[in-house]
Amino acid sequence: MNDTRALRARIVATALAMNAQGINRGKSGNVSARIDDGFLITPSALPYEETKPRDIVALDGTGNATGGRKPSSEWRFHRDIYAARADVAAIVHAHSPFATTLACLERPIPAFHYMVAVAGGGDIRCAPYATFGTQTLSDHAVAALDGRRACLLAHHGMIAVGASLGSALALAVEVETLAEMYWRSIVVGEPTLLSDDEMARVVARFESYGKP
Ligand SMILES: [Zn+2]
């Protein structure tokens, strides 16, 4: 625990920041970070304001937890994203209002704005619905994240991943901002979309900056 204390504290800080920045309310989301032999994740059923670094739960690569607390019920998609994606070191999952509104309509976020490319491609997909905590939901999430750093989860919320807790949280905030702009656009009309060529150009430009 001692060698992960700083990372545990950063997970708590990221969970608190998620709510403070308005992308999550109450206890619904969760935050995790990769460690050598698995990952650390926020616990189940404990308000972030009351969560201490020692409450963060360690799971190994198969999902076995150690310590006194139960992991977030969504630990399966965290485990499977880390297994599928060597580029991911942190995951933020939120029920942010605008992204979740689109997810409830089963609407992905298309190339209506060039910043959609910040998630790694020409759109931000919406994974099909499955019951929370299930392997089926995890499978859908991993597929929707293929070649991407964010996705929506139908009738549920969103996931943002990154090489650090800071980059995953920043991407979650960006996805929520894009979801709000897209929602406003479709309330007024139907926005024209940027071409695949243009989105590929923007993705390449973001990648060449290292970080968008
Ligand atoms: Zn959730």
Side-chain angles (χ1 to χ4, degrees):
M1 150 114 194
N2 281 343
D3 55 343
T4 60
R5 190 183 299 272
L7 185 56
R8 288 166 179 266
R10 287 204 299 278
I11 290 172
V12 175
T14 302
L16 287 167
M18 186 166 73
N19 284 21
Q21 295 188 29
I23 62 163
N24 199 63
R25 292 172 188 166
K27 181 60 198 78
S28 50
N30 40 66
V31 175
S32 74
R34 188 194 288 275
I35 52 175
D36 285 345
D37 49 353
F39 62 100
L40 300 171
I41 189 167
T42 44
S44 177
L46 189 65
Y48 297 136
E49 294 75 15
E50 297 170 22
T51 303
K52 301 279 180 281
R54 66 173 175 274
D55 297 317
I56 299 299
V57 183
L59 289 92
D60 66 18
T62 58
N64 290 315
T66 51
R69 294 218 171 256
K70 277 178 61 179
S72 162
S73 58
E74 301 287 19
W75 61 268
R76 276 188 184 80
F77 68 64
H78 291 259
R79 176 197 63 187
D80 295 347
I81 292 167
Y82 290 124
R85 296 283 296 268
D87 58 317
V88 174
I91 300 170
V92 168
H93 165 57
H95 296 185
S96 56
F98 287 99
T100 305
T101 299
L102 295 174
C104 290
L105 298 166
E106 302 184 6
R107 284 183 86 135
I109 303 176
F112 81 108
H113 189 292
Y114 81 92
M115 281 296 288
V116 167
V118 78
D123 60 2
I124 298 171
R125 301 186 191 103
C126 182
Y129 179 77
T131 309
F132 78 94
T134 61
Q135 187 59 48
T136 306
L137 176 62
S138 178
D139 294 344
H140 289 336
V142 169
L145 284 167
D146 185 35
R148 301 285 185 276
R149 288 183 287 269
C151 70
L152 308 183
L153 301 176
H155 310 280
H156 184 156
M158 64 120 113
I159 298 173
V161 305
S164 67
L165 284 162
S167 63
L169 178 64
L171 179 57
V173 171
E174 187 60 48
V175 170
E176 177 64 357
T177 303
L178 288 163
E180 178 173 1
M181 290 190 287
Y182 183 54
W183 175 79
R184 288 179 185 278
S185 298
I186 59 180
V187 165
V188 177
E190 197 58 42
T192 55
L193 301 182
L194 300 171
S195 69
D196 292 348
D197 280 356
E198 176 57 14
M199 291 305 280
R201 227 174 348 256
V202 177
V203 169
R205 188 168 277 229
F206 281 163
E207 300 301 334
S208 75
Y209 289 159
K211 289 274 184 293

